Amino acid sequence: MIKLPLPELGRSRAPSPPCLSVQTGDAWKHWIFDENGHPDEVQSPPANGRLWRVCEYDALAPAGGRSAKGLGRLGRELLKERVSTYVSGQWAVFTRAGSEMTAGQAARPFALALRDRLETMPAPSVLQVILPGGYTALAVYRRDQTIMGWTLASGEDIEITQARLTQQAGVSDAGTESFADVRELLAAAPMVRAFPVEPEWRGVPVRYYRQTIFLASLGLLVLSAANLAVEMSSAALHGHHARLASRHLADARTRVVAWDHTHANALARQGGIDPDALIDAARAVYQPGSHVSLSQGGREIVVILPLHVLSPIAPGQWTPAQAIDTGLAKRPSRGWRLSSLARGGEGRFALIYRREGAP
């Protein structure tokens, strides 16, 4: 019997120091905790640490038995952009696509450290977590049990930030859940995965399915040859074996091609899209700090313009007028036209380009 290899989640491993990365505006600060619980700030998290992060673009929601397609739709509704998604227990985890790694390492969203506590926690609630460096991280655990990223505050700004968050979420009746010992919180956190950094299907990397398809096809060939050898002459066996091998090889190739449809180039070929032309078109309208993505099957390029933080503790962000003017002045590639300047929440702007002739 051929078994499908699974990620090594249940195997015992040597303890690794808890690491915490915190988004402070456009920069990151990293801490590791020694055996006495004292946080030491480091330039980058160690490679053997279990990395947790506190940032504004991670979200958590109940999985609710949704399909992969339904989860993707839910994530896009929450973050208003393309998302990376996976399921941990009863919870669906989302982050902005392309942001799965922090400091070159796959990271775990901080909200998952509270995963087992959320089921008994009242909703709505304001979550307050005391962090190293004098920061406090705040997030709203909403009535629908979603958590929409973290906001940092310190000193007198904590009460102001909490009032702003509850007003935006429409939860003026929310209580407060405080966590003062972040090191103990991380040490007691459940064993959860970091964001996946390769294509998955039902929580298993696609490459495992490709290996299984190849091994299964090979096994079928061997078993079929052994069975037919008892009943057929060597000449008949040779001809039948060749036909059988050709058929199974074609079946295996069809399955592998089906899995390869997750690859961007295969998707491009399916839709008659030229990936090189799309990359050139994206480069023509890119500016430093912006986020470029495709939509509508390659017929639309969305440029999310760069953001600036309103203060060092990052209570909010905005798109400066200079970035908008620079984007409007850029000449798109031939065959593309500027369709609209779209405005999102909290001062976020995006330029949308469409291929000429696209509906």
Side-chain angles (χ1 to χ4, degrees):
M1 180 175 63
I2 299 173
K3 294 184 178 180
L4 181 67
L6 295 174
E8 300 178 0
L9 296 179
R11 299 186 182 181
S12 60
R13 297 182 178 180
S16 55
C19 305
L20 182 67
S21 291
V22 179
Q23 183 188 24
T24 58
D26 291 332
W28 289 85
K29 290 183 178 294
H30 314 283
W31 286 274
I32 59 174
F33 297 86
D34 61 23
E35 58 185 10
N36 297 319
H38 177 74
D40 293 321
E41 187 171 357
V42 294
Q43 289 294 108
S44 59
N48 65 331
R50 296 181 67 233
L51 180 60
W52 298 85
R53 75 179 184 193
V54 176
C55 74
E56 63 182 13
Y57 43 75
D58 287 349
L60 194 73
R66 292 182 173 90
S67 64
K69 186 176 182 180
L71 289 176
R73 183 166 52 250
L74 173 62
R76 289 190 295 273
E77 291 174 356
L78 293 175
L79 298 182
K80 308 303 181 185
E81 54 187 317
R82 294 187 305 116
V83 295
S84 174
T85 306
Y86 76 93
V87 175
S88 178
Q90 301 300 316
W91 300 94
V93 187
F94 309 100
T95 193
R96 189 170 62 195
S99 301
E100 298 87 353
M101 303 185 72
T102 300
Q105 297 187 38
R108 297 163 179 80
F110 187 80
L112 275 185
L114 305 171
R115 187 187 72 182
D116 294 342
R117 306 181 187 212
L118 293 176
E119 297 179 0
T120 58
M121 194 177 297
S125 294
V126 176
L127 309 179
Q128 285 190 358
V129 183
I130 310 302
L131 303 177
Y135 296 106
T136 295
L138 298 103
V140 178
Y141 182 45
R142 303 167 189 254
R143 288 189 175 88
D144 59 2
Q145 295 182 291
T146 58
I147 297 177
M148 296 284 295
W150 297 87
T151 300
L152 296 191
S154 63
E156 296 178 354
D157 290 333
I158 295 176
E159 292 186 6
I160 298 174
T161 302
Q162 179 166 334
R164 177 173 61 84
L165 290 176
T166 54
Q167 182 181 16
Q168 290 176 346
V171 290
S172 58
D173 58 334
T176 301
E177 297 287 335
S178 298
F179 303 91
D181 192 339
V182 67
R183 189 263 183 188
E184 180 182 353
L185 184 64
L186 296 182
M191 289 292 295
V192 298
R193 310 189 278 153
F195 280 106
V197 292
E198 61 178 305
E200 291 191 343
W201 188 64
R202 295 189 176 181
V204 179
V206 169
R207 59 188 169 90
Y208 289 130
Y209 291 97
R210 291 174 177 162
Q211 296 171 2
T212 302
I213 290 169
F214 172 77
L215 293 175
S217 299
L218 182 61
L220 286 173
L221 288 175
V222 172
L223 291 174
S224 298
N227 184 56
L228 290 173
V230 177
E231 303 175 359
M232 307 179 71
S233 65
S234 58
L237 176 61
H238 177 75
H240 187 81
H241 183 272
R243 292 190 297 272
L244 186 63
S246 176
R247 183 168 65 251
H248 282 295
L249 183 60
D251 291 343
R253 186 181 295 113
T254 299
R255 295 187 185 98
V256 172
V257 168
W259 284 115
D260 276 343
H261 284 175
T262 60
H263 194 280
N265 286 335
L267 287 173
R269 290 194 299 269
Q270 278 188 313
I273 300 171
D274 182 355
D276 293 333
L278 287 179
I279 291 173
D280 290 340
R283 284 174 176 162
V285 295
Y286 170 79
Q287 60 175 289
S290 64
H291 180 78
V292 183
S293 62
L294 290 173
S295 63
Q296 302 298 323
R299 298 189 299 272
E300 193 173 85
I301 294 177
V302 179
V303 182
I304 300 176
L305 296 175
L307 297 174
H308 287 185
V309 296
L310 292 175
S311 75
I313 57 176
Q317 293 187 329
W318 60 287
T319 298
Q322 181 182 5
I324 297 175
D325 293 339
T326 300
L328 292 173
K330 286 184 173 290
R331 293 174 60 92
S333 296
R334 184 176 181 182
W336 291 85
R337 59 180 174 82
L338 178 62
S339 174
S340 62
L341 172 65
R343 181 173 183 176
E346 299 185 359
R348 182 187 295 270
F349 283 83
L351 293 169
I352 300 176
Y353 299 84
R354 293 186 65 82
R355 276 198 306 187
E356 294 181 349

